[in-house]
Amino acid sequence: MDRILVGTCSWTDRALLDSGWYPPAARDAGTRLRYYASRFPVVEVDATYYGLPSARNSALWAERTPDGFVFDVKAFSLMTGHPTRIAALPAALRPSGRPQRMLRPGDVPRGVVDEVWRRFLDGVEPLRRAGRLGTLLFQFPPWFAPGPRALAHLALCRERLGDRPMAVEFRHPDWWRPDRREHTARTLADLRCDAVSTDTVEGPVTPPWATGPGPAVVRFHGRSPSWGTGSKEDRFRYAYTAGELESWLPRIDALARRADSVHVLFNNCCGTAAVRAAETMRELTACATATGFPAPG
């Protein structure tokens, strides 16, 4: 199996479905996934951030994809400290008598949190059994800053996951500050967590080394100036140039030398921007694999 796997962060994004990228015959979920899997070897499941996964869907995904195809699954919002829609919880877990639409993690009883984790892990288990689970992606919010509480939460997440793969994306800039980045990398290595590299308008973030036993993950969010402030479409509306992608090749090569595999995923999900960027990156990495990656510089 190739060590550098390129794909996108979702194959069901509405903008992609409306873009014409899928052939007219791909009218249902199963046909679309089969088509996607014929073009790319990896995909990120982002719907699990908004609602808990189901074992039935995971089993269907495994059945509809070939050997070697893998799914990176994004952690449910409550698990990463994000506000969570009450309607996203299973009916039996929703609090009664609350007029607000959103819950913050501190508002949720421990028993409900435990049950959310159990249902999440049960929901992805068919992927794991089928050998289709790439990693579990924990994208922490911008207010998740370094400190004792954050480290305790990371350790608790690692404990709950057992031996399942875990990749961590930090949005707070202090984690990868030059004077702290090696400490962050050591912390993640001690917890057997893979550090996620990112590309945004703020610049590329690459950990100083591969930190965990699972795949190294690189997520391309686009370089929109509205990143972090605009609407969803504003934040992710960006088309990468071949030159911008080519500049990442030395970093991807460095990760591939230190990790078992590298998952390169495009999150600039606006129309066909993500799949087109993934197609270009796939060609660039294939060519570099055959002829040699460029040296850093």
Side-chain angles (χ1 to χ4, degrees), residues 6-8 16 21 35-36 39-40 245 264 266 272-286:
V6 182
T8 65
L16 178 61
W21 183 74
Y35 178 78
Y36 177 96
R39 307 293 298 274
F40 301 109
L245 300 180
V264 181
F266 286 87
T272 61
V275 291
R276 298 307 178 199
E279 289 165 351
T280 299
M281 180 63 88
R282 183 185 58 196
E283 294 169 3
L284 289 171
T285 55

Side-chain angles (χ1 to χ4, degrees), residues 46-290:
D46 68 343
T48 48
Y49 170 81
Y50 303 99
L52 290 169
S54 74
R56 179 180 180 276
N57 280 344
S58 292
L60 288 173
W61 296 340
E63 292 172 6
R64 292 167 176 170
T65 49
D67 289 344
F69 188 92
V70 293
F71 296 83
D72 289 353
V73 181
K74 197 170 183 180
F76 183 54
S77 57
L78 194 67
M79 297 159 60
T80 51
H82 288 84
T84 298
R85 293 183 307 112
I86 291 177
L89 292 173
L93 302 181
R94 296 172 191 167
S96 59
R98 285 185 175 270
Q100 71 266 39
R101 296 173 56 198
M102 305 295 289
L103 284 173
R104 295 190 175 275
D107 299 332
V108 184
R110 175 63 181 268
V112 172
V113 174
D114 291 343
E115 182 63 12
V116 163
W117 273 87
R118 186 191 69 77
R119 294 191 185 205
F120 180 90
L121 296 178
D122 285 351
V124 300
E125 185 59 22
L127 292 176
R128 186 188 191 200
R129 288 199 304 266
R132 297 284 196 278
L133 180 60
T135 193
L136 299 174
L137 171 67
F138 284 70
Q139 184 188 55
F140 289 101
W143 55 87
F144 190 78
R149 291 182 62 183
L151 294 176
H153 186 70
L154 283 171
L156 179 60
C157 291
R158 175 72 274 173
E159 180 182 351
R160 287 181 182 272
L161 289 182
D163 63 352
R164 298 171 184 84
M166 178 180 178
V168 173
E169 178 179 342
F170 294 121
R171 296 283 302 280
H172 194 289
D174 284 358
W175 290 98
W176 297 117
R177 217 174 50 205
D179 62 336
R180 188 184 178 89
R181 63 197 308 262
E182 292 200 4
H183 179 268
T184 295
R186 283 194 297 271
T187 297
L188 293 179
D190 289 344
L191 292 171
R192 295 177 293 112
C193 297
D194 294 281
V196 174
S197 303
T198 58
D199 184 276
T200 70
V201 69
E202 297 164 355
V205 173
T206 313
W209 62 79
T211 61
V217 179
V218 186
R219 300 181 81 226
F220 285 79
H221 295 296
R223 298 180 181 180
S224 167
S226 298
W227 172 254
T229 58
S231 67
K232 180 180 178 181
E233 285 196 1
D234 291 337
R235 293 196 307 273
F236 297 106
R237 185 183 291 112
Y238 190 81
Y240 281 99
T241 67
E244 288 168 339
L245 300 180
E246 191 171 12
S247 71
W248 263 90
L249 292 180
R251 299 183 183 94
I252 292 172
D253 180 44
L255 288 170
R257 292 174 184 274
R258 299 183 179 104
D260 288 341
S261 62
V262 183
H263 293 182
V264 181
L265 296 161
F266 286 87
N267 196 33
N268 54 325
C269 297
C270 193
T272 61
V275 291
R276 298 307 178 199
E279 289 165 351
T280 299
M281 180 63 88
R282 183 185 58 196
E283 294 169 3
L284 289 171
T285 55
C287 180
T289 299

